[in-house]
Amino acid sequence: MKLYRATLMHTPESPFTAPDALQVQEDGGLLVEEGRILASGPYAQVRANHPRAEVVDLRGGVLLPGFIDTHVHYPQVRVLGGLGMQLLEWLDKNTLPEEARLSDDAYARAVAREFLSALRSNGTTTALVFGSHYASAMDIFFSEAAQTGLRVVAGQVVSDRLLRPELHTTPERAYAEGKALIERWHGVGRALYAVTPRFSLSASEGLLDACAALMTEFPDVRFTSHLNENPREVEAVRELFPTARDYLDTYERAGLVTRRSVLAHNVHPADRELAVMAAHRCSAAHCPCSNSALGSGLFPLKRHLQAGVHVSLGTDVGGGTGFSLLKEGLQAYFMQQLLGAQGVPLGPAHLLYLSTRAGAEALDLGDLTGDFGVGKAFDAVYLRPPQGTTLDTVLNHADGPERMLADLFTLGTQQDVAQVWVGGDAVYRRASSEQEVGV
Ligand SMILES: Nc1nc2[nH]cnc2c(=O)[nH]1
Ligand SMILES: [Zn+2]
């Protein structure tokens, strides 16, 4: 039994609907046994009730629930930085050639290790991972992920048109390979499976039906894809599906819009699409760094919230700009500011919620993770800036916990992630030599 002593902050409820959603213990205690939180509260109180627990002293930093990235591409870690293009050109020139390289198992393993290491060192404890087009690269991914202890919800990406021939499959093969991967990996350790057509642009109706067949046969797997990211993409989908009411309808008609569906981007939705997403309780993964880098547009958060659509955050590596949910939260804030009266003013509690609890809800893992409630898994990130850094200075002069949280989202980077736990297991610890900077 361990008692973690730290400044604790979490958002068990949504600040979009609940006032005072940010819960803070400035000198807090979290009692953890067998990976689960048994008690929480002021340190002195938890200590008095559990005098024999081993104390882990984390004073001097801030302990947050582990970050939850609801849209990130495993095969794209090495193509980060491909700036200067919009979506379709970026896929063609920057991304798909790299994705084809994952047909080589040794290459796929190296990329999987780089990807999983980047998640952990950025404080991400759960991720909805867009996989590779190759089944063997997914076997490699799941086996590497199991060794890290991270929670991954991932699936083979399937497409049968308009990418490049070596990335195409058939509905029959997509079904057979998906079924085999689900039987091998879904619910094994901390892994779950997500059925993942790349986007309707590269999927025939037959392929979407094959995806639906998997969802029917295995009702608790998740579903993810892309939606309404870029105007040229939206127009191409309209031409490819002349009888569909809109982009969402291409998925909806196949029965793929459910409580366990997460659709990335949705920068250009119609009102009907928002209403249907809300009715089916499916989630939108907002990827603000990617939307900026690829010039996709300004996410209409207010329209999503007004329609009742649940929204979480994704880094969208490699369309995005890295693995940090701190940066993603800050960029979400910037973009809402830039929208002026059309934007939603986001405070630090919103940014924390979007990067933790909202992701757990999107993945239907809200009973397991996303906050520090009693009974939840101990999934946590300990942020402690190296001495002498700007963030260290600013935190030392912050006039209260809410301002500290704003400082973390404004200035925090990978270098500030000191330790990470999943289910009580330590999955990352910053090398101690990096802790002193400039002193
Ligand atoms: N951002 C992004 N959008 C996509 N739409 C289809 N594939 C992709 C991808 O890899 N990244
Ligand atoms: Zn994406």
Side-chain angles (χ1 to χ4, degrees), residues 2 59 66 119 132 138 150 205 215 286 388 407:
K2 283 188 176 163
R59 282 175 295 175
L119 287 178
S132 165
M138 289 316 296
L150 293 176
E205 285 182 41
M215 301 287 293
H286 173 33
D407 295 339

Side-chain angles (χ1 to χ4, degrees), residues 71-73 76 90 130 198 225-226 229 264-265 287 290 316-317 319:
H71 188 68
V72 58
H73 293 250
Q76 296 180 12
W90 174 87
F130 234 82
R198 186 164 201 125
S225 193
H226 295 95
E229 178 176 1
H265 303 296
C287 306
S290 165
D316 195 25
V317 164

Side-chain angles (χ1 to χ4, degrees), residues 109-238:
R109 191 173 300 281
V111 170
R113 287 182 179 162
E114 290 161 2
F115 175 85
L116 291 158
S117 152
L119 287 178
R120 275 182 296 167
S121 56
N122 280 279
T124 297
T125 52
T126 300
L128 175 56
V129 178
F130 234 82
S132 165
H133 287 270
Y134 300 105
S136 65
M138 289 316 296
D139 265 322
I140 288 165
F141 176 79
F142 279 117
S143 68
E144 290 293 328
Q147 290 177 43
T148 68
L150 293 176
R151 299 188 197 282
V152 294
V153 185
Q156 179 185 18
V157 176
V158 292
S159 289
D160 63 350
R161 64 181 177 194
L162 295 174
L163 296 183
R164 41 175 61 215
E166 61 270 40
L167 296 178
H168 293 162
T169 185
T170 61
E172 296 72 28
R173 201 173 113 208
Y175 172 80
E177 290 182 347
K179 183 175 160 93
L181 284 165
I182 292 168
E183 287 173 344
R184 229 173 359 259
W185 296 108
H186 180 65
V188 174
R190 293 179 180 147
L192 294 172
Y193 197 83
V195 172
T196 313
R198 186 164 201 125
F199 57 166
S200 295
L201 194 150
S202 65
S204 68
E205 285 182 41
L207 189 71
L208 295 174
D209 288 343
C211 291
L214 288 172
M215 301 287 293
T216 305
E217 192 169 340
F218 303 97
D220 63 338
V221 301
R222 286 14 176 207
F223 174 81
T224 192
S225 193
H226 295 95
L227 178 69
N228 288 322
E229 178 176 1
N230 172 285
R232 279 188 52 209
E233 168 217 16
V234 175
E235 185 51 37
V237 169
R238 201 192 319 278

